[in-house]
Amino acid sequence: MRTPIIAGNWKLNLTLAEAAALAAQLRDAGAGSVGREVVVAPVFTALAAVAAALKGSGIKVAAQDLFWEGRGAYTGEVSAPLLLDAGAEAAIVGHSERRQLFGETDEGVNRKTRAALAAGLLPIVCVGETLAERESGAVEAVLGRQVRGALEGFAGDRVAALAVAYEPVWAIGTGRTATPAQANEAHAFIRGLISSGFGATVSARVRILYGGSVTPATVDELMREPEIDGVLVGGASLKADSFLRIVNFRA
């Protein structure tokens, strides 16, 4: 059995005080003790405060990105060792917004994933197609390129230690959601890619999350699908009540 991951990506939202307050609400509600792995990803400036608020709660703190070098002349970047120092235990890598808005490449995702694993962070590696790519029948080609690019050169034990998030770009922030069957089909394809590259034992251990406008109204049906091992939540993770409902999904 793969332990589900319920991850909240707070994106560019919440001040330090707001982030710490939300973390305290989740902690006090016992979100970290429900038999699933709960992760929240605040902005860099709030990482340490959120980590302090969640200490001992069982809820993990993730960074929304990282750089592959540990130190040096890289103005504006944040490294894995610095994230660890701030209390992070995981890092989102290759989110579609990073790819679309900031030129993230498959090669860069590979290097960032490698750096996260080397530092002991759990990488949540994001892949997914645009609407144009889906409508043109290129879903498998896009996912194949992104998954292979992210994991090229990795040993099987390294791959087994990470998570993948399938986020159809056309369903992020749009209110549209892939049907559970569509999501499960994409997850099964991704697992097949991992199996062909690293073996069935490794692919059986990798947790694959769905991330595309997940809400309290959609999470139960999504989590009933056999290949969906959790969710990466955006807007619905910014309010304690809605995120707690997702954490306590009923599958």
Side-chain angles (χ1 to χ4, degrees), residues 18-172:
E18 290 167 342
L22 176 54
Q25 287 180 284
L26 299 176
R27 176 199 66 211
D28 294 345
S33 58
V34 291
R36 50 211 61 171
E37 196 167 333
V38 180
V39 181
V40 295
V43 295
F44 287 137
T45 52
L47 268 172
V50 170
L54 294 176
K55 187 173 183 180
S57 70
I59 302 173
K60 291 184 176 180
V61 178
Q64 296 178 16
D65 190 24
L66 78 161
F67 188 55
W68 54 75
E69 295 291 348
R71 62 175 63 237
Y74 304 105
T75 301
E77 295 295 342
V78 179
S79 69
L82 293 178
L83 295 175
L84 286 170
D85 190 47
E89 298 177 78
I92 298 171
V93 183
H95 191 280
S96 62
E97 290 159 3
R98 299 298 311 174
R99 294 177 187 264
Q100 288 189 302
L101 300 176
F102 303 103
E104 192 100 322
T105 65
D106 294 332
E107 179 187 4
V109 171
N110 182 285
R111 297 178 75 177
K112 290 181 177 186
T113 303
R114 193 178 298 275
L117 285 169
L121 294 168
L122 166 68
I124 301 174
V125 182
C126 300
V127 299
E129 80 283 358
T130 65
L131 181 59
E133 289 165 340
R134 171 164 282 274
E135 291 182 339
S136 68
V139 175
E140 292 188 355
V142 171
L143 294 180
R145 186 195 76 238
Q146 292 177 342
V147 171
R148 293 188 186 100
L151 305 181
E152 183 179 1
F154 280 62
D157 62 336
R158 297 281 77 194
V159 174
L162 56 80
V164 175
Y166 168 63
E167 42 165 22
V169 179
W170 49 272
I172 298 174

Side-chain angles (χ1 to χ4, degrees), residues 180 184 218-228 245 249-251:
N184 193 68
T218 61
V219 66
D220 293 348
E221 197 172 2
L222 286 165
M223 289 304 299
R224 292 187 187 111
E225 296 292 336
E227 295 292 350
I228 298 180
R245 172 63 183 84
F249 66 85
R250 301 159 190 155

